[in-house]
Amino acid sequence: MSAVKIARGLSKTELLNILFYTGKVVLWLGALMVIPAVVAVIFREWAPFFDFLIGIGLSLCVGLIFVLAGRPVERGLTWTQGFAVASFSWIVAMFLAAVPYYLSGHWNAYLDALFDVMSGFTTTGVVLVQDLDHIAVSVNAWRHLLTYVGGQGMVVLALTVLSRGLPGAFKLYVGEAKDERLMPSVGETAKAIWFISVIYLIIGTLVLSVSAMAIGIDPVRALLHGAFVFMGAWSTGGFAPQSQNIAYYHSFLFEAATVPFLIAGSLNFGLHYAIWNGRRREILKNIETQVFATVLTILTLVGLGATIVSRTYDGPLALARRVVYQFISAQTTTGFATIYPAQFANEWPVLAILAISISMLFGASASSTAGGFKGVRVGMVVKSLKHEVRKLMSPESAVVVEKMHMGEDIVLEDRNVKLASLIILLYLVIFTAGVLVGVAYGYPLPQAIFESASVTGNVGLSSGVTAPSMPWPMKVLYIFMMWIARLEFMSVLVLFGLIFKLTKK
Amino acid sequence: MAREICERAERHAGGSAIRPRMRARLTSFLTPVTVLLAISLVTCGNRPACAGVEQPDRPLPVRIGDLISKTYEFDGRLISFEGEVIGDVMFRGDSAWVNVLDSSGAIGVVVTRDMASQVENTGAYAVKGDIVRVTGVFHRACSVHAGEIDVHAESFQIVRRGGPVRHAIAPGRIVMACTLLGAAVVLAYAARIKGRLGSPLGGSPKTS
């Protein structure tokens, strides 16, 4: 057999293996759609109920066709295949999850529905939905469930069962931009992530529902608001059940109640697990929490200074609720807002816009539900800079070692710094592309920067650029940016590499 | 500040003294950066404060979207608009918050308990909310409500009662749902026969 034939054979095997496992992940999406269908039955929303049945049927058909057309190989998944399955699953899932959205009639076009699904999956939170205040409870449940699952990861959900007897499951897990191994096996790690998330779901829903009742919302609706807002907070997705987002509630109590959950969602699952196991000091020693606290403090002070000088808000409570809250929301990459998008654009001084844009780009922790550069990478680059300065200032014969703490003390290695810098550079490249395209379409530079930072960091705050009237190429670009940023580039690049390889033959 | 950083750098270097030239370079770099940051902070504000606006006798008819996008223009002015009450009427002490929506956006309106008690229907999926005419003072950043963008209602009239909304089910969708679910059952059976579904969704399938 010639080398070309072997290569062809290998590619086909690779492709069939990828197709098979993508099919398995898609089957999970179909199963997940049963939840909003049940909600539709509870609230007697029969039109959306049938829309969800269509979605379930279509997801199961596509998933099963992939499973039948594909063929798993005994050795499981290679790194390339694991990464390709993760990124390809997200794209297929986007097209299928958008079906009930589009059928609901609340999205102007299928592209808009795709945009909102990707925004939910990637826990971004920018939306193109129309008349959200009259949307069915079941469709709203689907929106929030997508962002909740997206926070933990679609693949992580599938891995809770799929990993049994699947060699190379860890590659699939890493493909979804997670590398924290809480347990010896990937399946157990996936279960631990879901266990932590479900415990928080129960506590969070309870706390926010009680808060909602305390501010005058009746119990049944308070429970819905509590569950939806919790899912938006914990997943750092930023979706809210009403069009005014968190500004709908007009309450300091409710806003304050969301803060612990959006911060919790932005922390590394490894850190949650350490705290769960009684290692509470880890929260102070961890490089990511240190970077998060430092960056948030500095940028919030800049934002506060700018808004005080420009007299945008009067009084400490107004500044806390309108400025500090927005910065916490930005830094945790949640996207909850207590002001309207137009207010960022028209009222905030440019310095505050730039500060919050940087905050959105920096983001929170790796292996969390958050986006952005991530604290560990920023920490690594800063430590590396410090290392270089220390080396310069030390005698030439001295051996200077730099360490950082993340669960344990880790010696800073050039290889890791290089990788962290490369990922940050890639984030900056897509951010710049977003800014340039925004400016090319005539949006003012500060707004283009703000929006691009929000999409790149999977945040969801908007300065008004993201709207159904936005040009379609920008919608497509933003979908791509959300997807590639959430999967932290490698999986998507591998998928493109594979497609290129297949089309070349 | 620059000097402090140099001193900290010295301490981190294990007490070894920084070469004077390097120290001078660090200081000369950090000092202008600090000064520039301070200047930019001070000069960034160029917007007028919310000044008291002379109240005209007649309220200004507006759309909610205009209030949100031109906050400085309408700040402190008596305005009037019509819209649907949505979501929840949230009673807080002697007053209540209602959110009112028109085709251009939604905004929070502060009303008295009596005004809020008039509302019978709030807009949601299965309900068309009461249509109200709100006349009140618009605040870009309300000093009473911690910087909220809001309207303090002086008058709040029900223009039209809302009520239940029926959503028809398209028969074509029922047929489509049944067809797709039927096809999924057939495909699942085929996958089971081919040994591709080790367990319903996971497990160990037959491998090549």
Side-chain angles (χ1 to χ4, degrees), chain A residues 166-223:
Chain A
L166 170 59
F170 184 65
K171 292 150 191 169
L172 199 56
Y173 176 69
V174 176
E176 209 176 36
K178 285 191 168 61
D179 53 11
E180 203 68 39
R181 226 171 172 159
L182 310 181
M183 300 280 193
S185 86
V186 176
E188 292 300 314
T189 299
K191 278 177 192 156
I193 287 177
W194 274 100
F195 177 74
I196 293 167
S197 301
V198 170
I199 293 291
Y200 269 108
L201 174 67
I202 295 164
I203 297 168
T205 302
L206 196 71
V207 170
L208 292 170
S209 300
V210 170
S211 305
M213 280 192 276
I215 61 169
I217 298 177
D218 76 61
V220 175
R221 281 186 57 86
L223 184 67

Side-chain angles (χ1 to χ4, degrees), chain A residues 3 45 65 88 205 242 307 374 397 409 433 448:
Chain A
E45 297 171 339
I65 288 168
F88 187 46
T205 302
Q242 303 283 152
T307 46
K374 312 279 179 350
S397 57
D409 282 338

Side-chain angles (χ1 to χ4, degrees), chain B residues 51-192:
Chain B
V53 178
E54 203 176 307
Q55 294 288 339
D57 292 338
R58 292 167 66 86
L60 206 64
V62 290
R63 293 172 78 224
I64 293 169
D66 293 334
L67 292 177
I68 294 165
S69 60
K70 298 170 189 165
T71 50
Y72 282 102
E73 191 179 322
F74 294 109
D75 191 18
R77 297 184 77 164
L78 188 69
I79 49 92
S80 168
F81 60 87
E82 233 177 71
E84 178 191 354
V85 179
I86 49 159
D88 309 87
V89 175
M90 294 174 271
F91 287 96
R92 313 258 172 94
D94 293 336
S95 61
W97 280 98
V98 288
N99 290 296
V100 179
L101 171 84
D102 73 6
S103 59
S104 61
I107 196 165
V109 180
V110 187
V111 295
T112 61
R113 275 193 93 87
D114 289 345
M115 288 173 179
S117 303
Q118 297 173 51
V119 178
E120 287 177 8
N121 305 289
T122 56
Y125 174 69
V127 182
K128 175 78 181 167
D130 292 341
I131 305 294
V132 292
R133 167 156 285 282
V134 179
T135 303
V137 180
F138 171 72
H139 301 278
R140 180 192 67 81
C142 180
S143 54
V144 180
H145 295 107
E148 285 248 14
I149 177 170
D150 65 19
V151 176
H152 287 206
E154 291 184 357
S155 110
F156 186 81
Q157 295 168 301
I158 307 287
V159 176
R160 205 163 47 249
R161 283 282 173 213
V165 176
R166 278 181 61 83
H167 294 273
I169 307 163
R173 293 201 184 169
I174 301 174
V175 174
M176 195 189 286
C178 293
T179 310
L180 284 167
L181 288 172
V185 170
V186 173
L187 286 167
Y189 185 68
R192 198 81 163 142

Side-chain angles (χ1 to χ4, degrees), chain A residues 20-34 56-68 92-93 96 154 157-158 162, chain B residues 184 187-188 191 196-197 199-202:
Chain A
F20 178 82
Y21 285 106
T22 304
K24 288 268 187 167
V25 176
V26 168
L27 285 179
W28 266 102
L29 181 81
L32 196 67
M33 242 183 257
V34 172
I56 293 166
L58 200 60
S59 302
L60 294 181
C61 284
V62 171
L64 287 164
I65 288 168
F66 280 17
V67 165
L68 280 164
V92 178
L96 294 168
M154 264 303 291
L157 174 69
L162 195 62
Chain B
L187 286 167
R196 294 294 165 83
L197 293 177
S199 68
L201 292 167

Side-chain angles (χ1 to χ4, degrees), chain A residues 10 58 113 129 134 148 192 428 434 464 486 494:
Chain A
L10 277 175
L58 200 60
V129 61
H134 290 103
Y148 179 65
L428 289 172
R486 172 64 176 81
V494 164

Side-chain angles (χ1 to χ4, degrees), chain A residues 209-482:
Chain A
S209 300
V210 170
S211 305
M213 280 192 276
I215 61 169
I217 298 177
D218 76 61
V220 175
R221 281 186 57 86
L223 184 67
L224 289 173
H225 280 282
F228 291 164
V229 172
F230 168 77
M231 288 192 232
W234 166 256
S235 67
T236 66
F239 280 174
Q242 303 283 152
S243 63
Q244 292 151 279
N245 205 271
I246 299 300
Y248 170 85
Y249 301 99
H250 312 286
S251 163
F252 178 56
L253 170 75
F254 197 81
E255 288 157 20
T258 61
V259 171
F261 300 111
L262 46 99
I263 290 176
S266 76
L267 298 177
N268 193 309
F269 280 109
L271 185 60
H272 280 288
Y273 195 69
I275 296 165
W276 201 267
N277 286 313
R279 287 156 56 205
R280 291 192 179 82
R281 283 189 63 79
E282 187 62 29
I283 201 158
L284 298 174
K285 288 161 72 181
N286 193 289
I287 180 102
E288 291 201 292
T289 46
Q290 289 174 353
V291 170
F292 176 82
T294 309
V295 174
L296 179 63
T297 306
I298 294 169
L299 292 172
T300 305
L301 286 175
V302 173
L304 279 171
T307 46
I308 288 168
V309 170
S310 67
R311 287 179 287 171
T312 311
Y313 304 106
D314 286 328
L317 193 57
L319 287 164
R321 290 181 62 186
R322 311 295 150 209
V323 181
V324 177
Y325 189 87
Q326 274 25 258
F327 270 88
I328 294 171
S329 174
Q331 184 80 35
T332 56
T333 76
T334 307
F336 276 163
T338 57
I339 62 173
Y340 291 89
Q343 289 183 279
F344 281 118
N346 301 333
E347 297 180 11
W348 277 39
V350 174
L351 184 64
I353 292 280
L354 291 179
I356 203 165
S357 300
I358 295 168
S359 181
M360 290 194 277
L361 282 173
F362 271 51
S365 300
S367 285
S368 71
T369 66
F373 298 162
K374 312 279 179 350
V376 63
R377 295 199 185 99
V378 176
M380 254 187 215
V381 172
V382 171
K383 286 260 181 191
S384 158
L385 200 67
K386 188 178 152 197
H387 185 215
E388 291 305 316
V389 173
R390 278 182 64 199
K391 273 205 298 195
L392 272 175
M393 293 188 304
S394 304
E396 277 180 24
S397 57
V399 177
V400 183
V401 176
E402 190 69 46
K403 285 183 182 172
M404 59 176 216
H405 187 88
M406 206 173 148
E408 56 189 356
D409 282 338
I410 303 163
V411 175
L412 202 65
E413 288 178 25
D414 284 349
R415 191 169 55 91
N416 293 337
V417 175
K418 191 178 150 193
L419 193 63
S421 310
L422 182 69
I423 299 283
I424 290 176
L425 183 70
L426 287 170
Y427 271 114
L428 289 172
V429 167
I430 60 161
F431 162 70
T432 310
V435 174
L436 291 176
V437 171
V439 171
Y441 273 106
Y443 294 100
L445 183 62
Q447 268 181 276
I449 289 174
F450 185 102
E451 213 76 4
S452 186
S454 179
V455 173
T456 305
N458 296 126
V459 180
L461 289 172
S462 175
S463 62
V465 172
T466 303
S469 57
M470 184 167 69
W472 71 263
M474 271 186 81
K475 291 178 188 172
V476 174
L477 176 70
Y478 280 4
I479 289 174
F480 176 74
M481 285 166 70
M482 289 188 271

